[in-house]
Amino acid sequence: MRSGQGFRLTAGERSAIERHSVAAATAYFEAQGWNVKDVGNRESFDLLLTRGERRLHVEVKGTTSAGLEVILTRAEVEKQRKYYPVNALVVVHSIELDRTGEEPATSGGVLHCTSPWVVEDVDLTVISYAYRTGVGSPQSSEAARNSALVPPRRPPTAACTGRVAGHRWRTEPTVSLPILP
């Protein structure tokens, strides 16, 4: 059995797993006397629970794996840290996914709830970065305008860098050119 959330699921499969896990969490909290409101379409968490004056902000994650790791967005982490200690993480793991029908179907799973939920840096692993290339910036636009010195019929030059078997390679020169009709 895999340990984390899968990256090889279709959008329909991910949606079915999410609906299934939110429904399981909703039933779990309603059985404890909470009023449950699904706010996932407009907030960076899934469920807002109220019981009298008490509130609880719940992030729900569903997976067909054993649930040892789940994917969190930056916004989810920031919100849960803000709401601590009136927050919770619900992981519904080991969900069965049936792909035989026209639409994916889900069943089963094991619900695990952590509340209050402390999101510690040591428990987070970076899996993605947003990298600023500078392409499209005012500086690169200026360089493109000044590239009129390059003959218009000259093909754009490629700039590639990388590493293969410990060796660095680079194709020079690096020039940003506007695409001409």
Side-chain angles (χ1 to χ4, degrees):
M1 180 173 274
R2 295 184 328 270
S3 61
Q5 287 177 294
F7 283 102
R8 294 189 175 113
L9 298 173
T10 67
E13 291 166 346
R14 283 191 303 274
S15 180
I17 290 168
E18 181 177 347
R19 284 190 310 270
H20 181 83
S21 57
V22 168
T26 298
Y28 171 79
F29 287 113
E30 285 178 343
Q32 294 181 20
W34 289 95
N35 293 316
V36 180
K37 186 174 185 180
D38 186 338
V39 295
N41 287 336
R42 63 182 183 281
E43 296 285 349
S44 293
F45 60 96
D46 296 298
L47 301 175
L48 177 61
L49 281 54
T50 56
R51 186 166 51 193
E53 296 296 314
R54 294 186 61 204
R55 293 168 61 102
L56 194 63
H57 305 84
V58 181
E59 180 60 39
V60 179
K61 295 295 178 178
T63 180
T64 58
S65 76
L68 297 178
E69 293 180 339
V70 293
I71 306 299
L72 299 171
T73 67
R74 179 178 180 172
E76 289 168 344
V77 168
E78 289 172 356
K79 283 286 187 178
Q80 291 304 318
R81 284 178 167 169
K82 174 185 169 190
Y83 290 131
Y84 176 82
V86 289
N87 67 339
L89 170 65
V90 170
V91 177
V92 181
H93 66 87
S94 305
I95 297 172
E96 296 294 324
L97 179 62
D98 180 358
R99 297 175 167 113
T100 60
E102 194 170 304
E103 294 293 323
T106 55
S107 62
V110 178
L111 186 144
H112 178 85
C113 179
T114 302
S115 183
W117 175 31
V118 180
V119 183
E120 298 281 356
D121 285 343
V122 70
D123 295 323
L124 298 171
T125 302
V126 177
I127 61 170
S128 181
Y129 289 95
Y131 177 72
R132 288 183 290 279
T133 64
V135 174
S137 70
Q139 292 83 8
S140 69
S141 296
E142 181 68 26
R145 281 193 295 279
N146 292 335
S147 69
L149 302 173
V150 177
R153 293 187 183 206
R154 180 177 170 190
T157 56
C160 300
T161 60
R163 193 178 292 267
V164 177
H167 300 285
R168 292 187 54 78
W169 52 270
R170 182 171 180 86
T171 304
E172 294 286 352
T174 302
V175 179
S176 292
L177 297 174
I179 297 175
L180 302 173

